Amino acid sequence: MIKVDISNVWGQLSLPDLLAVEGEVAAAHRTLTDGSGEGSDFLGWLSLPTREVTDEMQRILAAAARIRATSDALVVVGIGGSYLGPRAAIELMQGANHNIGKGKGDPQIFYAGNTLSTRGWNELCRLLDGKDFSVAVISKSGTTTEPAIAFRALRWMLERKYGTEKAKKRIYAITDPVKGALKQMAAEEGWETFVIPPAAGGRFSVLTPVGLLPMAVAGIDITKVMAGACDAKESYNSLRSFENPVWLYAGVRNLLYRNGKEIELFESFEPGFKMFGGWWQQLFGESEGKDGKGLFPVTAEFTPDLHSLGQMIQQGQRNIFETMVRFAPPAQRSVIGSDAKNLDGLNYLAGKTLDFVDEQAFLGTVAAHVDGGVPVITMDMGELNEEKLGEMFYFLELCCGVSAYILGVNPFNQPGVEFYKRNMFRLLGKPGYEK
């Protein structure tokens, strides 16, 4: 079970404060799991984890094996949760530089449809030049502007490279089971199709084919991911007290918000965690930021960002708190050597492991920030593996649902996202958006 340590928030909160919201947290958890709150049509993610290797899981594994055997690269086309989830998983498990040196049978994973940058598109074209590649397009509708533009171009590239019929075997559509433009295209063209459950919104879709197919292509054991998520489903939904880390995190972050902490920094000392932080940022930002409410979620990477944000955290406005995510050291350790001249002055560290230094940096950072008036929540994840990855995804989704109901908002809609789209469509001259 993930350990949530709140010992470094007591300067801002008290135990009576926490106990006073126990009823609210219990009610929010109950509202979520019994489906009695707003947005209850989008609770399909709660029951997704299973230990059974389903027929769809078998198809995902078979498709991943084909892609790995025939492609140097897989391009994942999607925006928001449609690409943040799989990218978060792959980079956390394999590192931010996982693509370097990969080839056919161990393909590179690229992402498209999450930007309108011409430079970004040109870079992707250069990366794909001379490579055999396949495309996984992820969209419930098939008409979202950014991924639709990218997919149209990638489909044309595939058809030019392989011919129309062979290109069809390199396209995998992950979409709505019954409706939408992408579903219609897939049916007409004969692309292999996987289902996004209608009751699982985009930012809660990582444990569907949206996340599972790219993970499997990258070589992540998705049966273990789902087993870890299943463990989380069983343990975090059955424990109804502050012994449940879901309750601690959801309750404390709402208490800190009520006490003037408007920004949450979600951070880790692992470089591969950066996109996982991006996934968390969308999950909580879109779920809670409405009705004039909500913590502003920001992700950071330590120690690099201690050399950019550290001054602001230490002595800036006291409207922030931090959630630091920690992992157990990897099995392969790195020992710091000695140097005869010692011009860099590091011989005092000779013989110590790099993870030991990292741990002291973590402890020193927490102490400094708490002394500076910044509350710090710590999440100890334990060993990082596929089971833990699945547990983390489910744990944070559950935390998000409970926290949003404590806040008093619908966790599963995002009405504000449409405003920029309407303005953009009007400026582009899209039919129906003239006024």
Side-chain angles (χ1 to χ4, degrees), residues 13 28 30 84 112 186 234 256 316 326 332 341 375 381 385 424:
L13 305 176
R30 185 168 56 251
L84 283 169
E234 293 165 359
L256 289 168
R326 297 292 289 164
Q332 183 178 348
K341 292 186 178 181
M381 299 296 180
N385 52 33
M424 178 180 68

Side-chain angles (χ1 to χ4, degrees), residues 305-318 369:
D305 286 335
L306 289 173
H307 297 260
S308 59
L309 296 175
Q311 175 63 38
M312 175 63 74
I313 296 169
Q314 195 69 44
Q315 295 181 328
Q317 293 188 59
R318 302 298 78 188
H369 291 181

Side-chain angles (χ1 to χ4, degrees), residues 229-353:
C230 199
D231 288 341
K233 179 182 72 172
E234 293 165 359
S235 58
Y236 296 125
N237 278 315
S238 60
L239 185 57
R240 301 296 176 106
S241 73
F242 278 121
E243 293 181 3
N244 188 337
V246 170
W247 282 37
L248 273 184
Y249 180 51
V252 168
R253 67 191 304 275
N254 274 276
L255 278 171
L256 289 168
Y257 175 62
R258 294 172 188 179
N259 280 270
K261 304 303 180 184
E262 301 169 338
I263 299 170
E264 179 177 8
L265 268 172
F266 192 72
E267 59 219 11
S268 173
F269 284 67
E270 295 293 337
F273 188 82
K274 193 166 187 175
M275 287 307 302
F276 195 97
W279 172 83
W280 166 89
Q281 187 172 269
Q282 189 217 3
L283 178 69
F284 279 84
E286 278 201 348
S287 297
E288 293 190 326
K290 56 200 72 164
D291 301 338
K293 303 176 182 179
L295 281 156
F296 193 88
V298 181
T299 186
E301 178 194 339
F302 289 169
T303 58
D305 286 335
L306 289 173
H307 297 260
S308 59
L309 296 175
Q311 175 63 38
M312 175 63 74
I313 296 169
Q314 195 69 44
Q315 295 181 328
Q317 293 188 59
R318 302 298 78 188
N319 61 348
I320 64 174
F321 72 93
E322 297 174 85
T323 300
M324 288 194 186
V325 178
R326 297 292 289 164
F327 298 95
Q332 183 178 348
R333 306 292 180 90
S334 179
V335 178
I336 299 170
S338 62
D339 183 85
K341 292 186 178 181
N342 193 32
L343 294 177
D344 54 13
L346 290 179
N347 274 358
Y348 76 101
L349 294 176
K352 293 182 171 61
T353 59

Side-chain angles (χ1 to χ4, degrees), residues 138-151:
I138 305 169
S139 175
K140 278 191 173 182
S141 66
T143 59
T144 303
T145 306
E146 295 93 334
I149 289 173
F151 178 57

Side-chain angles (χ1 to χ4, degrees), residues 352-375:
K352 293 182 171 61
T353 59
L354 188 58
D355 61 89
F356 171 81
V357 179
D358 178 79
E359 180 68 11
Q360 308 323 302
F362 158 68
L363 294 172
T365 300
V366 171
H369 291 181
V370 171
D371 286 346
V374 179

